[in-house]
Amino acid sequence: MDYKQQVTNALVKALDGQLTADEISSKLERPKTSDKGDLAFPTFTLAKTLHKAPQQIAQDIAEKLDQTGFEKVAVVGPYLNFFFDKAAYSEETLNAVLAAGASYGQNNDGNQGNVPIDMSSPNIAKPMSMGHLRSTVIGNSIAEILKKNGYHPIKDNHLGDWGTQFGKLITAYKLWGNEEDVKKDPINKLVEYYVRFHKEDVDKPELDDEAREWFRKLENGDQEAHDLWQWFREVSLQEFNDIYKVLGVEFDTYNGEAFYNDKLAEVVQLLKDDHLLVESQGAEVVDLEKYDLNPALILKSDGASLYITRDIATALYRDRTYHPVKNLYVVGSEQMYYFKQLKAVLEEMKVPSAKDLHHIPFGLITVDGKKLSTRSGRIILLADVLKDSIDLAEKEIAEKNPTLKDKEAVAKQVGVGAIVFGDLKNERMNSIDFVLADQLKFEGETGPYVQYARARAQSILRKADGVDVQAAGNEITDPEAWDTIKALADFPAVVKMACAEYEPSVVAKYAIRVAKNFNKYYAHTKVLTEDAELPARLALVTAVSTVIKESLRLLGVQAPDEM
RNA sequence: GUCGCAAUAGCUCAGCUGGAUAGAGCAACGGUCUUCUAAACCGUAGGUCGAGGGUUCGAACCUCUCUUGCGACACCA
């Protein structure tokens, strides 16, 4: 039973058609605290038409209102506060969770439509930094949220595996590198060469000529260049995969930039056919004046392609391969303008999925307020942060739960969970000035806090083994349980909102809310007491465990049964 | 310079799209482990919601102006 609907119906009757159901429904709000009721109707809007004080209107409505089905309806000033029937509501909510299990909250809004997600996208031969973490975990979470809403996400790791930097890398490797070193520590060695190249080319501009030549060879399919490129790509990918494994993120495709090499000519041809390409200052551009945007540069004056050329090819490929209902790009906010241009060009080309192309931007990670950069050495290695966090989790376990089994596995779940949850907890767009100590927090509103609440729930359930928890008769009247029950009932709406806004933080905040309410509940109420409501309380604990685990799963965070 | 994003407690952030006394966490201070794991719970203190106008019954939220910070502005990605 939809209580909002029930409140609306009661009000429609009492108001005798003065407001439509929709008008009433949109005015209903949730009071800040449960002592003011569960849904409230403010009467201000009626004051004008009725020429009466809102307080009086609230009184009048209350008198006419059919209050059956509610615990009570209270008039507080200009508000009508509705209190739900706790026994009925808790029974309904708990039974719904128990019956559905992990699929509680699942809907089919997406109708299984394909949604390619451009995400993670690290650059070959460069280490993954905290910036890549954001794109990876936000993209991964959005994919899970989409699935929960009936979409079919396709996670595409759009690797930065092509470009002039490979000319530089090959040049540097041929000059200073050797196979053995690279095999031992691939990315660090490759970065070392790359950095050295940039140091030395200041005095030796001939290095740049050589690099250009190597890239030209690479583009023309030169065997040696291609073999080196492929090798660099492979060893880099192996290291990336180690991190993805730790994060628990998998991809459906790894179609990097190189994948589109043979698809660029068609893009240019299509643009020409549509007469969209115009010459400007020696370069080929698409004019975007009607979108109030600067022209998009498609071909450089030397005829070479650019990033956007590749991205058009990518969009075209995805359009033809998947017929997407949405097209998502989880890329930093600094590229907002760029994505407006990309979308505009695709719309000019009448690519069907262009109108559903969404850039999902996220805030920048800085150190001391400054942007990260591989070349300058201002970088935070993701692998290091994850390791620090896992180490700290190990220490916490040694201190707090030394007899725990599978310590290592749990430390990993908790340590990684802290980092991932920490990243997803706040609104995407917030920029983050990186401070390691801020990341390594396990207390308060953190991943471990949520994990801990569920571990405690599991602990109770283990001790209650043998008590029959049935999907019936789960009426809980304990007011201490009320906020938890309401939180559980909100999950399906949370799943929808997170999807509509592409905001994992909606789920993360929700998980905190459930955990917090549950912590309060069991701190106050002893669950394992032999009385008539014991099965109902265990049903509540089971439901909490299920919903927290599922919320964390949507965030890509694991939920250990013990910690 | 133009455009975009932001500004809420000492710090990090919420604030359900315009409603009730602006809420959490951290840090500080005080309390709670012979009872389901103290990664927890309870309490105290902490605010001119960057500034100023406008819209209306009502604004942290909408609008305008300004200030400050960050970012983007065609041959990088």
Side-chain angles (χ1 to χ4, degrees):
Chain A
M1 165 48 84
D2 183 348
Y3 276 75
K4 196 168 183 179
Q5 194 60 49
Q6 193 177 327
V7 170
T8 306
N9 290 345
L11 283 169
V12 167
K13 259 192 237 163
L15 283 167
D16 208 15
Q18 287 175 81
L19 288 177
T20 67
D22 282 350
E23 284 168 328
I24 292 168
S25 183
S26 68
K27 280 285 162 198
L28 291 176
E29 56 188 70
R30 183 194 304 176
K32 288 193 180 100
T33 51
S34 277
D35 57 293
K36 294 193 190 69
D38 305 310
L39 266 182
F41 179 68
T43 56
F44 302 103
T45 31
L46 287 162
K48 235 183 221 168
T49 49
L50 296 179
H51 304 291
K52 273 195 281 189
Q55 290 83 344
Q56 188 59 48
I57 297 168
Q59 290 280 356
D60 294 348
I61 297 174
E63 276 164 34
K64 283 192 247 168
L65 199 73
D66 178 8
Q67 301 195 4
T68 52
F70 299 108
E71 185 179 289
K72 62 172 173 173
V73 180
V75 175
V76 182
Y79 289 90
L80 276 159
N81 292 337
F82 293 80
F83 292 75
F84 299 163
D85 180 331
K86 291 185 175 56
Y89 194 79
S90 62
E91 180 180 23
E92 212 173 284
T93 304
L94 295 179
N95 287 351
V97 180
L98 262 43
S103 60
Y104 178 60
Q106 175 76 42
N107 68 65
N108 195 32
D109 291 358
N111 222 353
Q112 298 311 309
N114 284 334
V115 183
I117 307 175
D118 192 302
M119 55 183 274
S120 195
S121 313
N123 294 317
I124 296 303
K126 284 191 195 172
M128 277 219 253
S129 76
M130 284 301 285
H132 296 109
L133 175 75
R134 302 219 70 192
S135 174
T136 307
V137 299
I138 292 170
N140 184 58
S141 177
I142 287 175
E144 293 303 332
I145 290 165
L146 284 167
K147 256 191 250 171
K148 193 85 181 169
N149 284 275
Y151 290 91
H152 181 251
I154 296 142
K155 293 186 274 186
D156 185 23
N157 197 341
H158 194 62
L159 298 166
D161 60 1
W162 201 254
T164 49
Q165 74 268 25
F166 286 96
K168 297 175 185 176
L169 198 56
I170 293 171
T171 305
Y173 174 77
K174 301 264 309 169
L175 282 172
W176 313 301
N178 69 74
E179 195 174 333
E180 234 172 276
D181 285 352
V182 174
K183 273 186 178 157
K184 256 184 245 159
D185 190 5
I187 290 181
N188 281 335
K189 276 291 158 194
L190 294 175
V191 169
E192 202 180 296
Y193 305 151
Y194 187 69
V195 170
R196 181 164 173 191
F197 180 95
H198 278 284
K199 241 184 240 164
E200 300 210 2
D201 80 335
V202 181
D203 301 322
K204 298 184 204 162
E206 66 271 19
L207 282 177
D208 285 309
D209 296 333
E210 208 174 316
R212 254 190 295 278
E213 177 58 18
W214 270 115
F215 184 59
R216 199 191 57 76
K217 281 189 188 171
L218 182 60
E219 289 212 288
N220 293 336
D222 176 86
Q223 191 65 44
E224 186 183 8
H226 185 267
D227 287 350
L228 280 173
W229 169 79
Q230 193 156 33
W231 182 47
F232 295 156
R233 189 178 188 276
E234 254 167 44
V235 292
S236 298
L237 211 48
Q238 274 165 22
E239 274 195 52
F240 296 158
N241 280 332
D242 288 343
I243 290 182
Y244 292 137
K245 207 172 158 196
V246 171
L247 290 173
V249 174
E250 287 173 3
F251 298 90
D252 298 296
T253 51
Y254 288 84
N255 294 337
E257 292 169 22
F259 179 79
Y260 299 96
N261 279 344
D262 60 357
K263 299 171 180 66
L264 300 181
E266 192 204 352
V267 170
V268 175
Q269 193 55 49
L270 283 172
L271 286 167
K272 275 184 185 156
D273 291 349
D274 291 346
H275 306 291
L276 293 170
L277 222 47
V278 294
E279 195 263 325
S280 166
Q281 293 170 38
E284 298 286 333
V285 307
V286 175
D287 184 86
L288 299 174
E289 210 179 327
K290 69 172 166 181
Y291 296 88
D292 213 16
L293 294 167
N294 290 332
L297 194 64
I298 306 292
L299 292 177
K300 296 200 243 181
S301 40
D302 66 1
S305 65
L306 278 142
Y307 186 53
I308 197 164
T309 325
R310 234 162 258 276
D311 260 347
I312 295 166
T314 306
L316 219 51
Y317 174 83
R318 287 176 184 160
D319 194 84
R320 290 166 178 169
T321 312
Y322 306 118
H323 307 291
V325 293
K326 293 170 191 287
N327 221 325
L328 307 184
Y329 293 80
V330 184
V331 180
S333 61
E334 66 271 22
Q335 291 193 36
M336 275 197 274
Y337 189 82
Y338 168 79
F339 275 102
K340 278 185 192 161
Q341 289 181 308
L342 176 64
K343 182 169 172 149
V345 173
L346 292 168
E347 275 176 12
E348 283 297 279
M349 293 175 76
K350 302 198 167 52
V351 175
S353 62
K355 60 180 182 305
D356 292 303
L357 185 154
H358 299 282
H359 176 210
I360 317 287
F362 53 84
L364 209 58
I365 293 194
T366 54
V367 175
D368 300 326
K370 286 186 209 122
K371 215 176 154 173
L372 303 171
S373 126
T374 311
R375 272 194 229 173
S376 71
R378 195 172 40 250
I379 186 163
I380 306 147
L381 299 180
L382 177 51
D384 291 352
V385 176
L386 291 172
K387 186 178 179 303
D388 286 346
S389 190
I390 293 169
D391 287 350
L392 182 62
E394 246 165 53
K395 265 168 64 185
E396 295 281 319
I397 290 169
E399 202 176 296
K400 290 173 170 148
N401 198 352
T403 59
L404 182 70
K405 38 188 189 295
D406 295 330
K407 283 200 189 84
E408 239 172 76
V410 175
K412 207 164 144 188
Q413 294 181 337
V414 172
V416 174
I419 299 296
V420 174
F421 192 93
D423 197 297
L424 296 177
K425 167 176 81 164
N426 293 324
E427 226 171 291
R428 279 190 340 253
M429 281 300 286
N430 292 359
S431 48
I432 297 172
D433 195 50
F434 184 86
V435 179
L436 184 63
D438 289 350
Q439 304 277 328
L440 302 185
K441 278 195 172 145
F442 297 173
E443 286 169 16
E445 298 175 341
T446 64
Y449 173 91
V450 177
Q451 290 173 321
Y452 181 74
R454 197 196 82 103
R456 292 296 301 270
Q458 284 301 117
S459 173
I460 292 171
L461 294 174
R462 270 195 304 277
K463 297 208 161 143
D465 193 29
V467 178
D468 192 19
V469 178
Q470 319 158 343
N474 292 317
E475 299 184 359
I476 292 183
T477 50
D478 181 0
E480 295 294 329
W482 188 230
D483 282 335
T484 304
I485 288 163
K486 280 204 291 183
L488 293 175
D490 282 343
F491 187 60
V494 166
V495 167
K496 286 192 183 205
M497 191 192 288
C499 186
E501 295 176 6
Y502 307 110
E503 257 300 358
S505 70
V506 168
V507 176
K509 299 231 174 66
Y510 170 78
I512 290 172
R513 193 176 128 216
V514 176
K516 191 177 285 188
N517 287 327
F518 177 64
N519 279 341
K520 247 179 232 184
Y521 169 70
Y522 80 74
H524 185 275
T525 305
K526 171 98 177 162
V527 174
L528 295 175
T529 305
E530 293 290 340
D531 63 16
E533 269 194 22
L534 176 61
R537 284 195 302 273
L538 288 172
L540 173 64
V541 177
T542 306
V544 165
S545 177
T546 300
V547 170
I548 288 182
K549 185 173 187 179
E550 191 58 10
S551 300
L552 289 176
R553 191 187 65 75
L554 293 179
L555 298 169
V557 174
Q558 303 241 293
D561 289 340
E562 278 181 83
M563 62 186 273

